[in-house]
Amino acid sequence: MSNVHLIDHPLVQHKLTLMRRKDASTNTFRRLLNELSSLMAYEVTRDMAMQDIEIETPLETMTSKVIDGKKLVFVSILRAGNGILEGMLNIVPGARVGHVGLYRDPKTLTAVEYYFKMPHDMHERDIVVVDPMLATGNSAIAAVERLKELSPKSIKFVCLLTCPEGIAAFHKSHPDVPIYTAAIDRQLNDHGYILPGLGDAGDRIFGTK
Ligand code: URA
């Protein structure tokens, strides 16, 4: 599938399997998500622009590389996105963070925004949007639409799991935004859950069920 990056590193796949198990405790699930998200951040930031700077080692002057441009922005789609956010910040601690809150209108089933807070200068920044489950795609599509109004330099979308329906819907609206995922599961069920999936990601992260 074009513009989908499947992160099939053995450590990522192993941790994801442990997370899927229904008997994984909240504590275990959250810890694994944190570790897995750090590994995913490593892959997602692989193509970041670099610049050469001159530094002094204890022995001599040298030209060496640092990341170029303004700080990256991680945008968490509330609330489950916060589970991925923490792990990503472990390895990119200087990143800026934005939050988008959306709920599903029970009548129209469309995503309605209730919170949107971003760092300044978004037009000069690269954005990584995070949400563990790309299922119907409605929240992700609405969040990216809203972020595009700020004309960022680039947008990537990162999830743990997705399914063919989620990918198709997201790419219909945003063919230019790459998806990074640890798995593409079989299908969506009638309630918008991914099968075989891992259940409700928010409930599993925060122990609310
Ligand atoms: N959101 C979840 O938390 N789980 C799914 O399977 C689908 C959407």
Side-chain angles (χ1 to χ4, degrees), residues 36-47:
L36 207 158
S37 303
S38 296
L39 296 168
M40 290 187 83
Y42 185 75
E43 289 295 332
V44 170
T45 52
R46 183 177 281 285
D47 60 356

Side-chain angles (χ1 to χ4, degrees), residues 18-203:
L18 300 182
M19 289 175 71
R20 286 181 189 268
R21 295 173 65 162
K22 69 175 180 192
D23 53 359
S25 67
T26 301
N27 184 8
T28 298
F29 189 91
R30 196 185 292 149
R31 178 180 51 77
L32 287 165
L33 179 59
N34 190 289
E35 293 167 4
L36 207 158
S37 303
S38 296
L39 296 168
M40 290 187 83
Y42 185 75
E43 289 295 332
V44 170
T45 52
R46 183 177 281 285
D47 60 356
M48 282 178 83
M50 311 284 301
Q51 64 162 311
D52 287 331
I53 61 167
E54 199 161 280
I55 58 167
E56 301 224 357
T57 78
L59 299 177
E60 56 179 87
T61 300
M62 74 173 286
T63 303
S64 195
K65 293 191 185 303
V66 289
I67 293 168
D68 194 19
K70 284 219 183 255
K71 297 271 192 293
L72 185 67
V73 184
F74 293 128
V75 173
S76 166
I77 300 183
L78 298 173
R79 68 179 163 152
N82 283 0
I84 295 191
L85 183 62
E86 270 184 43
M88 296 222 155
L89 287 172
N90 286 342
I91 70 154
V92 195
R96 301 302 187 240
V97 176
H99 292 93
V100 185
L102 300 157
Y103 71 89
R104 191 179 359 182
D105 183 297
K107 286 202 187 104
T108 62
L109 300 186
T110 54
V112 182
E113 181 184 306
Y114 65 86
Y115 191 74
F116 189 84
K117 187 83 180 172
M118 294 297 141
H120 59 82
D121 299 334
M122 289 292 277
H123 61 286
E124 294 180 73
R125 298 184 189 272
D126 295 302
I127 298 179
V128 176
V129 184
V130 299
D131 192 0
M133 312 298 272
L134 180 63
T136 61
N138 290 341
S139 318
I141 290 167
V144 170
E145 236 162 59
R146 186 71 167 80
L147 289 165
K148 280 184 173 174
E149 289 171 14
L150 306 177
S151 306
K153 275 169 66 190
S154 72
I155 305 181
K156 292 174 178 170
F157 183 84
V158 179
C159 56
L160 268 191
L161 288 189
T162 186
C163 55
E165 296 91 332
I167 293 173
F170 186 82
H171 275 162
K172 193 162 171 231
S173 298
H174 301 297
D176 53 320
V177 177
I179 296 169
Y180 290 76
T181 185
I184 302 171
D185 276 11
R186 189 180 70 245
Q187 68 181 96
L188 264 193
N189 73 9
D190 294 342
H191 304 286
Y193 279 85
I194 295 174
L195 298 176
L198 49 71
D200 188 297
D203 282 341

